[in-house]
Amino acid sequence: MNDIAHNLAQVRDKILSAAARCGRDSEEVTLLAVSKTKPASAIEEAIAAGQRAFGENYVQEGVDKIRYFQEAGHRDLQWHFIGPLQSNKSRLVAEHFDWCHTVDRLKIATRLSEQRPADKPPLNVLIQINISDEQSKSGIPLASLDALAAEIVELPGIQLRGLMAIPAPETEYERQFAVARQMAVAFAELKTRYPTVDTLSLGMSDDMDAAIAAGSTMVRIGTAIFGARDYTKNKGN
Ligand SMILES: *Cc1c(COP(=O)(O)O)cnc(C)c1O
């Protein structure tokens, strides 16, 4: 087995045991392979190993990969935009991606809705929550969620599917779980109000177990699948 296939199998195993430990069905947890900065050849290896959902952080890089794989005849891949989104890049996301995890203001949501091509299904969106309340990170505080969600569900070109967060790094399981739990409670509440809500994007390599125990339905894993990233080749697109 090559490295990426081997790594993927290991990550899937970890998801399986994390789900088993808390009595959840591992089918409830989608693995998003974060392929930012990685070449198409690495993504091809992951596809060959059965992976279909990929996450990208940089708009232009993501669009290039989406086009490449479309031209190569892949029709069943799912592309998730998971990076910070500026207004001037929203059109490319609306036109090419299937999901956007980082919606944190009405202006961006409105643009994505207006710019979504009419021949495509609505863009799936997650509202990003700034759960650790860090000045530097994007996302809205939980207190602002109800108001933004109510506005987003009125937009025809996008569909609200749930919540996403990037918690501050925390080494202790109990603390990871406490933060993940706050997200899970907000997610459960949102779900009761909007039937389209089914996705909690939470958990990376270091806090995946706690996120799954708390109720995450989508974990975002990069390095453990594709290896360390080289950022010198990729700047600011
Ligand atoms: C890069 C990134 C990941 C994956 O991080 P790894 O540490 O490589 O697993 C997950 N989520 C987001 C939002 C990211 O930007």
Side-chain angles (χ1 to χ4, degrees), residues 34 36 57 82-83 164 166 203-205 220-224 227 229 231:
V34 177
K36 63 185 178 209
N57 285 59
I82 62 171
M164 177 268 208
I166 310 172
M204 298 169 49
S205 307
R220 308 179 307 262
I221 310 291
T223 311
R229 286 179 290 272
Y231 279 105

Side-chain angles (χ1 to χ4, degrees), residues 37-51:
T37 80
K38 296 297 174 181
S41 57
I43 296 173
E44 262 154 18
E45 286 184 45
I47 295 171
Q51 183 65 29

Side-chain angles (χ1 to χ4, degrees), residues 150-221:
E151 291 175 310
I152 283 180
V153 294
E154 298 298 328
L155 299 171
I158 63 179
Q159 180 152 67
L160 181 62
R161 296 293 296 270
L163 302 177
M164 177 268 208
I166 310 172
E170 217 27 286
T171 47
E172 248 182 83
Y173 179 91
E174 291 308 327
R175 296 176 65 147
Q176 293 175 348
F177 182 78
V179 172
R181 195 65 210 146
Q182 280 182 275
M183 285 297 300
V185 168
F187 171 61
E189 239 168 52
L190 194 67
K191 225 171 150 172
T192 63
R193 252 173 301 147
Y194 305 110
T196 59
V197 168
D198 59 2
T199 302
L200 177 58
S201 167
L202 186 70
M204 298 169 49
S205 307
D206 295 329
D207 62 352
M208 190 176 86
D209 287 15
I212 290 174
S216 168
T217 73
M218 189 176 284
V219 293
R220 308 179 307 262
I221 310 291

Side-chain angles (χ1 to χ4, degrees), residues 56-226:
E56 290 284 338
N57 285 59
Y58 310 101
V59 176
Q60 192 57 55
E61 179 191 337
V63 168
D64 289 346
K65 289 173 180 170
I66 293 169
R67 287 199 176 119
Y68 173 86
F69 284 101
Q70 256 159 14
E71 278 160 28
H74 289 281
R75 295 274 174 265
D76 59 343
L77 304 182
Q78 241 186 37
W79 294 95
H80 296 239
F81 185 74
I82 62 171
L85 182 53
Q86 291 155 0
S87 300
N88 61 348
K89 299 275 175 73
S90 64
R91 179 176 296 279
L92 282 170
V93 171
E95 288 181 348
H96 296 278
F97 282 84
D98 304 298
W99 290 69
C100 178
H101 289 217
T102 49
V103 171
D104 63 357
R105 52 198 190 277
L106 182 61
K107 184 185 170 194
I108 284 280
T110 304
R111 287 177 69 96
L112 289 171
S113 176
E114 287 170 358
Q115 294 167 341
R116 183 68 170 173
D119 62 344
K120 291 199 176 196
L123 180 72
N124 299 295
V125 303
L126 304 178
I127 295 175
Q128 184 175 358
I129 303 294
N130 185 349
I131 195 65
S132 308
D133 196 28
E134 291 166 291
Q135 295 289 319
S136 62
K137 288 249 176 80
S138 11
I140 59 166
L142 275 180
S144 313
L145 173 58
D146 289 358
L148 184 59
E151 291 175 310
I152 283 180
V153 294
E154 298 298 328
L155 299 171
I158 63 179
Q159 180 152 67
L160 181 62
R161 296 293 296 270
L163 302 177
M164 177 268 208
I166 310 172
E170 217 27 286
T171 47
E172 248 182 83
Y173 179 91
E174 291 308 327
R175 296 176 65 147
Q176 293 175 348
F177 182 78
V179 172
R181 195 65 210 146
Q182 280 182 275
M183 285 297 300
V185 168
F187 171 61
E189 239 168 52
L190 194 67
K191 225 171 150 172
T192 63
R193 252 173 301 147
Y194 305 110
T196 59
V197 168
D198 59 2
T199 302
L200 177 58
S201 167
L202 186 70
M204 298 169 49
S205 307
D206 295 329
D207 62 352
M208 190 176 86
D209 287 15
I212 290 174
S216 168
T217 73
M218 189 176 284
V219 293
R220 308 179 307 262
I221 310 291
T223 311
I225 298 171
F226 296 109

